[in-house]
């Protein structure tokens, strides 16, 4: 058998990566030529994988690591120093605030509902744009809601009707469900129902977070509670008729945070599964990388204040969203005394260039089938709902893509393309 010279192959890979960069920088780039270069890179990676350490391949691939499936947490995120009270945000006057981010008025940008301790719920409407937020003065008790002693909001579409429903965690550990009986653009919330869908109360200070942790198409629930524990409620029902199993304490390799745990789930290392960022009592962040899979998560030991994040001033309650529309996840944190701290993600791998991307996703509106037509291949398409939750991921989509599992409603489809550029598209499903 012919012996492979791995040093020579690594040098060859580096040269071809430079060719790809040059080809992409040219205005008259050829999709066929780029695909040929991509194929050569894939062949080299297959020859080198298992013989050359992954971190060396990532270093050679640089910003193209995610395109070829070699992303890691060390290159995926980089947060700059925080900005206090950005985008015109002002304190509600409460010394503890709990932010939840979602597009509540259906205009494509990120609004914010803030729960407080022993005060009102407040709505901050984003009157800016998807890339330049600007928040109006807060409105107390919006959309027919009324507050209790402590309200920690979380949004998701629990009944599959295309608008966002609201779950409030409370001081007693109770979870109260408010169905959205309005619409995706004009929400109106019904009176609260305590512990619906088989849910049970947690210990004090319930902090809910929805995500599809087992990738079965419905929203599961992770709840932080007093003493830093996490309770996991698997949704054993459906996307339109939820039913939650008995809670599991600190499951899937997770461990308790310090005193208070405020969980947030997102794909931080860009490997297709959900990782967790946990806010804690002393203002620290604990990061749990998901080393399992999309269907069987398993979380590694926590890392303290990763990716350049720094501790805030007590009671860190983070919320995640792409505030500047550049394709990566930013972090908004409410801290003690009602101040907001904004950590912008300066991820060099994420470049949102929709206006320069030739192609489309059609039809729009759509029913059960979509066609992806771009001059540069789509490596992965992520369907994100109005609460910022990824509800469907499709690898290498092209023609006649089955999206029948999606509920009717509005979606932002975030596409990762061949050359690591990203594009975002607003689609409506009937």
């Amino acid at each position: 058998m012919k012996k492979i010279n791995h040093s020579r192959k690594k040098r060859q890979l580096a040269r071809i990566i430079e060719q790809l960069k040059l080809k992409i920088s040219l205005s008259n780039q050829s999709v066929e030529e780029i695909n040929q270069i991509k194929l050569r890179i894939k062949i080299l990676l297959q020859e080198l994988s298992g013989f050359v350490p992954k971190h060396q391949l990532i270093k050679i691939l640089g910003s193209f690591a995610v395109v070829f499936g070699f992303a890691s947490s060390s290159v995926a995120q980089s947060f700059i120093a925080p900005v206090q009270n950005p985008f015109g945000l002002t304190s509600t006057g409460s010394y503890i605030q709990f932010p939840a981010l979602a597009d509540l008025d259906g205009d494509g940008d990120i609004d914010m509902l803030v729960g407080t301790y022993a005060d009102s719920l407040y709505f901050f409407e984003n009157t800016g744009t998807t890339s330049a937020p600007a928040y109006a003065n807060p409105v107390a008790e919006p959309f027919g809601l009324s507050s209790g002693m402590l309200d920690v909001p979380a949004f998701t579409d629990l009944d599959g009707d295309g608008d966002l429903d609201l779950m409030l965690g409370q001081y007693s550990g109770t979870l109260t469900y408010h169905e959205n009986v309005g619409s995706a653009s004009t929400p109106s919330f019904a009176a609260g129902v305590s512990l619906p869908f088989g849910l049970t109360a947690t210990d004090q200070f319930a902090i809910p977070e929805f995500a599809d942790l087992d990738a079965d198409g419905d929203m599961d629930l992770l709840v932080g509670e007093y003493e830093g524990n996490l309770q996991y409620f698997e949704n054993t029902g459906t996307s339109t008729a939820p039913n939650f199993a008995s809670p599991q304490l600190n499951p899937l390799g997770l461990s308790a945070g310090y005193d208070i745990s405020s969980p947030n789930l997102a794909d931080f290392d860009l490997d297709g599964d959900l990782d967790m960022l946990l806010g804690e009592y002393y203002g620290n962040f604990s990061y749990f990388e998901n080393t399992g899979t999309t269907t069987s998560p398993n979380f590694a030991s926590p890392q303290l204040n990763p990716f350049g994040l720094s501790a805030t001033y007590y009671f860190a309650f983070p919320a995640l969203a792409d505030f500047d529309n550049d394709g990566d996840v930013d972090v908004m944190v409410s801290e003690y005394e009602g101040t907001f701290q904004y950590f912008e993600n300066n991820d060099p791998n994420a470049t949102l260039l929709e206006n320069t991307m030739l192609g489309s996703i059609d039809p729009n509106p759509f029913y059960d089938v979509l066609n992806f037509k771009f001059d540069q291949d789509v490596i992965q398409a992520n369907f994100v709902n109005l609460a910022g939750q990824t509800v469907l991921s499709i690898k290498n989509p092209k023609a006649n893509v089955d999206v029948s599992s999606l509920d009717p409603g509005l979606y932002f489809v975030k596409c990762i393309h061949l050359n690591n550029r990203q594009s975002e598209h607003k689609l409506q499903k009937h």
Side-chain angles (χ1 to χ4, degrees):
M1 180 181 293
K2 184 178 179 180
K3 185 177 180 180
I4 298 175
N5 187 325
H6 296 112
S7 296
R8 181 174 61 81
K9 291 289 184 181
K10 285 196 295 181
R11 293 193 297 271
Q12 185 180 356
L13 176 62
R15 289 195 299 271
I16 297 175
I17 289 293
E18 291 303 315
Q19 291 177 21
L20 182 58
K21 290 179 182 177
L22 177 62
K23 181 63 65 175
I24 289 168
S25 68
L26 300 175
S27 59
N28 61 343
Q29 59 187 300
S30 163
V31 175
E32 182 178 352
E33 290 180 6
I34 288 177
N35 283 337
Q36 290 175 352
I37 295 173
K38 175 189 171 186
L39 179 60
R40 291 169 63 194
I41 292 172
K42 283 185 174 180
I43 292 171
L44 283 170
L45 288 172
Q46 289 174 355
E47 293 177 348
L48 292 169
S49 293
F51 298 95
V52 176
K54 184 178 178 181
H55 72 272
Q56 291 186 17
L57 294 177
I58 289 172
K59 185 176 181 180
I60 297 170
L61 291 169
S63 61
F64 295 102
V66 66
V67 174
F68 296 99
F70 281 82
S72 77
S73 58
S74 63
V75 300
Q77 316 292 327
S78 177
F79 293 94
I80 63 178
V83 176
Q84 183 171 303
N85 294 334
F87 315 130
L89 286 170
T90 57
S91 174
T92 64
S94 177
Y95 73 98
I96 301 181
Q97 302 180 141
F98 313 97
L101 302 169
D103 181 8
L104 283 170
D105 50 10
D107 62 354
D109 54 37
I110 299 164
D111 308 301
M112 182 160 59
L113 185 71
V114 174
T116 60
Y117 185 84
D119 198 355
S120 299
L121 287 156
Y122 292 90
F123 172 58
F124 290 81
E125 182 185 358
N126 187 348
T127 57
T129 67
T130 56
S131 57
Y135 288 96
N137 291 329
V139 176
E141 308 294 291
F143 315 123
L145 292 168
S146 59
S147 57
M149 179 179 176
L150 177 146
D151 293 297
V152 185
F155 290 103
T156 196
D157 183 5
L158 274 176
D159 52 8
D161 62 353
D163 55 35
L164 293 175
D165 307 301
L166 174 65
M167 189 73 76
L168 292 176
Q170 296 172 323
Y171 181 81
S172 63
T174 295
L175 296 157
T176 302
Y177 170 64
H178 294 263
E179 181 187 355
N180 187 349
V181 293
S183 66
S185 58
T186 309
S188 178
F189 294 98
V193 177
S194 180
L195 299 175
F197 315 125
L199 291 170
T200 56
T202 67
D203 201 352
Q204 292 177 320
F205 228 98
I207 304 176
E209 167 77 351
F210 285 103
D212 186 3
L213 268 171
D214 50 8
D216 63 351
D218 53 39
M219 284 294 165
D220 308 299
L221 180 61
L222 192 66
V223 183
E225 62 178 6
Y226 187 64
E227 294 188 350
N229 287 311
L230 294 157
Q231 299 281 359
Y232 172 54
F233 295 85
E234 182 186 353
N235 188 347
T236 57
T238 67
S239 60
T240 58
N243 184 69
F244 293 96
S246 298
Q248 303 173 47
L249 179 66
N250 299 325
L252 312 173
L254 292 170
S255 57
Y258 186 84
D259 222 15
I260 293 174
S261 288
S262 180
N264 287 260
L265 293 157
D267 184 5
F268 277 89
D269 54 5
L270 306 179
D271 63 351
D273 54 36
L274 292 172
D275 311 297
M276 187 174 72
L277 188 70
L278 195 70
E280 299 181 328
Y281 177 83
Y282 279 120
N284 288 309
F285 301 94
S286 286
Y287 169 66
F288 294 79
E289 180 186 355
N290 187 349
T291 56
T293 66
T294 56
T295 56
S296 298
N298 186 69
F299 294 92
S301 298
Q303 304 173 40
L304 189 66
N305 299 329
F307 314 128
L309 291 170
S310 56
T312 64
Y313 178 55
Y314 286 95
F315 294 114
F317 297 108
L320 311 180
D322 184 4
F323 281 91
D324 49 8
N325 200 32
D326 65 349
D328 54 32
V329 176
D330 307 302
V331 179
M332 184 71 76
V333 186
S334 179
E335 62 181 4
Y336 188 63
E337 294 187 348
T339 301
F340 293 101
Q341 298 285 357
Y342 171 61
F343 293 83
E344 180 185 349
N345 191 342
N346 192 31
D347 177 8
N349 292 322
T351 306
L352 188 63
L353 295 172
E354 181 177 357
N355 293 335
T356 65
M357 202 69 61
L358 299 177
S360 64
I361 306 173
D362 59 54
N364 187 21
F366 66 98
Y367 286 95
D368 292 333
V369 174
L370 283 173
N371 298 294
F372 289 72
K373 304 173 183 177
F374 290 93
D375 63 331
Q376 296 170 6
D377 287 352
V378 178
I379 305 301
Q380 183 166 312
N382 296 318
F383 289 74
V384 180
N385 66 15
L386 293 177
Q389 298 157 334
T390 299
V391 294
L392 179 65
S393 293
I394 300 173
K395 294 186 180 297
N396 303 310
K398 292 182 180 177
N400 300 318
V401 177
D402 182 4
V403 288
S404 58
S405 63
L406 291 173
D407 298 319
L410 186 66
Y411 296 92
F412 297 94
V413 185
K414 298 187 177 184
C415 297
I416 301 173
H417 293 265
L418 167 65
N419 59 4
N420 205 30
R421 290 180 178 177
Q422 299 186 31
S423 63
E424 184 172 306
H425 313 268
K426 186 177 180 179
L427 301 180
Q428 178 76 39
K429 183 175 182 182
H430 284 311

CSV table of all heavy atoms in Angstrom, one decimal, residues 359-364 370-374 381 383 413 415 423 425 427:
chain,number,residue,atom,x,y,z
A,359,GLY,N,-29.7,34.1,-5.6
A,359,GLY,CA,-30.5,32.9,-5.4
A,359,GLY,C,-31.7,33.2,-4.6
A,359,GLY,O,-32.0,34.3,-4.2
A,360,SER,N,-32.5,32.1,-4.3
A,360,SER,CA,-33.8,32.3,-3.6
A,360,SER,C,-34.2,31.0,-3.0
A,360,SER,O,-33.7,29.9,-3.4
A,360,SER,CB,-34.8,32.9,-4.6
A,360,SER,OG,-35.1,31.9,-5.6
A,361,ILE,N,-35.2,31.1,-2.1
A,361,ILE,CA,-35.9,29.9,-1.6
A,361,ILE,C,-37.4,30.2,-2.0
A,361,ILE,O,-38.0,31.2,-1.7
A,361,ILE,CB,-35.8,29.8,-0.1
A,361,ILE,CG1,-34.3,29.8,0.3
A,361,ILE,CG2,-36.5,28.5,0.4
A,361,ILE,CD1,-34.1,29.8,1.8
A,362,ASP,N,-38.0,29.2,-2.7
A,362,ASP,CA,-39.3,29.4,-3.1
A,362,ASP,C,-40.1,28.1,-3.0
A,362,ASP,O,-39.5,27.0,-2.9
A,362,ASP,CB,-39.4,30.0,-4.6
A,362,ASP,CG,-38.7,29.1,-5.6
A,362,ASP,OD1,-39.1,27.9,-5.7
A,362,ASP,OD2,-37.8,29.6,-6.3
A,363,PRO,N,-41.5,28.2,-3.0
A,363,PRO,CA,-42.3,29.4,-3.1
A,363,PRO,C,-42.4,30.1,-1.7
A,363,PRO,O,-42.0,29.5,-0.7
A,363,PRO,CB,-43.7,28.8,-3.5
A,363,PRO,CG,-43.7,27.5,-2.9
A,363,PRO,CD,-42.3,26.9,-3.0
A,364,ASN,N,-42.8,31.3,-1.7
A,364,ASN,CA,-43.0,32.0,-0.5
A,364,ASN,C,-44.3,32.9,-0.6
A,364,ASN,O,-44.2,33.8,-1.5
A,364,ASN,CB,-41.8,32.9,-0.2
A,364,ASN,CG,-41.9,33.6,1.2
A,364,ASN,OD1,-42.7,33.1,2.1
A,364,ASN,ND2,-41.2,34.7,1.4
A,370,LEU,N,-40.1,23.1,-0.3
A,370,LEU,CA,-39.3,24.3,-0.7
A,370,LEU,C,-38.2,23.9,-1.7
A,370,LEU,O,-37.7,22.8,-1.7
A,370,LEU,CB,-38.7,24.9,0.5
A,370,LEU,CG,-39.6,25.7,1.5
A,370,LEU,CD1,-38.8,26.2,2.7
A,370,LEU,CD2,-40.1,27.0,0.7
A,371,ASN,N,-37.8,24.9,-2.5
A,371,ASN,CA,-36.7,24.7,-3.4
A,371,ASN,C,-35.7,25.8,-3.1
A,371,ASN,O,-35.9,27.0,-3.1
A,371,ASN,CB,-37.2,24.9,-4.9
A,371,ASN,CG,-38.2,23.8,-5.2
A,371,ASN,OD1,-37.9,22.7,-5.3
A,371,ASN,ND2,-39.5,24.3,-5.5
A,372,PHE,N,-34.4,25.3,-2.9
A,372,PHE,CA,-33.3,26.2,-2.7
A,372,PHE,C,-32.5,26.3,-4.0
A,372,PHE,O,-32.0,25.4,-4.5
A,372,PHE,CB,-32.4,25.6,-1.6
A,372,PHE,CG,-33.0,25.6,-0.2
A,372,PHE,CD1,-34.0,24.7,0.1
A,372,PHE,CD2,-32.5,26.5,0.8
A,372,PHE,CE1,-34.6,24.8,1.4
A,372,PHE,CE2,-33.1,26.5,2.0
A,372,PHE,CZ,-34.1,25.7,2.3
A,373,LYS,N,-32.4,27.6,-4.4
A,373,LYS,CA,-31.8,27.9,-5.7
A,373,LYS,C,-30.8,29.0,-5.5
A,373,LYS,O,-31.1,30.2,-5.4
A,373,LYS,CB,-32.8,28.3,-6.8
A,373,LYS,CG,-33.9,27.3,-7.0
A,373,LYS,CD,-35.0,27.9,-7.9
A,373,LYS,CE,-36.1,26.9,-8.1
A,373,LYS,NZ,-37.2,27.5,-8.9
A,374,PHE,N,-29.5,28.6,-5.4
A,374,PHE,CA,-28.4,29.6,-5.1
A,374,PHE,C,-27.2,29.3,-6.0
A,374,PHE,O,-27.0,28.2,-6.5
A,374,PHE,CB,-28.0,29.5,-3.7
A,374,PHE,CG,-29.0,30.1,-2.7
A,374,PHE,CD1,-29.9,29.2,-2.1
A,374,PHE,CD2,-29.0,31.4,-2.4
A,374,PHE,CE1,-30.8,29.7,-1.2
A,374,PHE,CE2,-30.0,31.9,-1.5
A,374,PHE,CZ,-30.9,31.1,-0.9
A,381,ALA,N,-29.3,24.7,6.2
A,381,ALA,CA,-30.4,25.7,6.4
A,381,ALA,C,-31.0,25.4,7.7
A,381,ALA,O,-31.5,24.3,8.0
A,381,ALA,CB,-31.4,25.5,5.2
A,383,PHE,N,-34.1,26.7,10.2
A,383,PHE,CA,-35.3,27.4,10.3
A,383,PHE,C,-35.5,27.9,11.7
A,383,PHE,O,-35.6,27.1,12.7
A,383,PHE,CB,-36.5,26.4,9.9
A,383,PHE,CG,-36.5,26.1,8.4
A,383,PHE,CD1,-35.6,25.3,7.9
A,383,PHE,CD2,-37.5,26.7,7.6
A,383,PHE,CE1,-35.6,25.0,6.5
A,383,PHE,CE2,-37.5,26.4,6.2
A,383,PHE,CZ,-36.5,25.5,5.7
A,413,VAL,N,-35.0,31.8,7.7
A,413,VAL,CA,-34.2,30.6,7.3
A,413,VAL,C,-32.8,31.1,7.1
A,413,VAL,O,-32.5,32.0,6.3
A,413,VAL,CB,-34.7,30.0,5.9
A,413,VAL,CG1,-33.9,28.8,5.6
A,413,VAL,CG2,-36.2,29.7,6.0
A,415,CYS,N,-29.1,30.4,6.1
A,415,CYS,CA,-28.4,29.4,5.3
A,415,CYS,C,-26.9,29.7,5.4
A,415,CYS,O,-26.4,30.8,5.4
A,415,CYS,CB,-28.7,29.6,3.8
A,415,CYS,SG,-30.5,29.3,3.4
A,423,SER,N,-26.7,33.7,4.5
A,423,SER,CA,-27.8,34.5,4.1
A,423,SER,C,-29.0,34.2,4.9
A,423,SER,O,-29.1,33.1,5.5
A,423,SER,CB,-28.1,34.3,2.6
A,423,SER,OG,-28.5,32.9,2.4
A,425,HIS,N,-33.4,34.6,5.1
A,425,HIS,CA,-34.6,34.7,4.3
A,425,HIS,C,-35.8,34.6,5.2
A,425,HIS,O,-35.9,33.7,6.0
A,425,HIS,CB,-34.6,33.7,3.2
A,425,HIS,CG,-33.3,33.6,2.5
A,425,HIS,ND1,-33.0,34.3,1.4
A,425,HIS,CD2,-32.1,32.9,2.8
A,425,HIS,CE1,-31.7,34.1,1.0
A,425,HIS,NE2,-31.2,33.2,1.9
A,427,LEU,N,-39.6,33.7,5.5
A,427,LEU,CA,-40.6,32.8,4.8
A,427,LEU,C,-41.9,32.6,5.6
A,427,LEU,O,-41.8,32.5,6.9
A,427,LEU,CB,-40.0,31.5,4.4
A,427,LEU,CG,-38.8,31.5,3.5
A,427,LEU,CD1,-38.4,30.0,3.3
A,427,LEU,CD2,-39.0,32.2,2.2
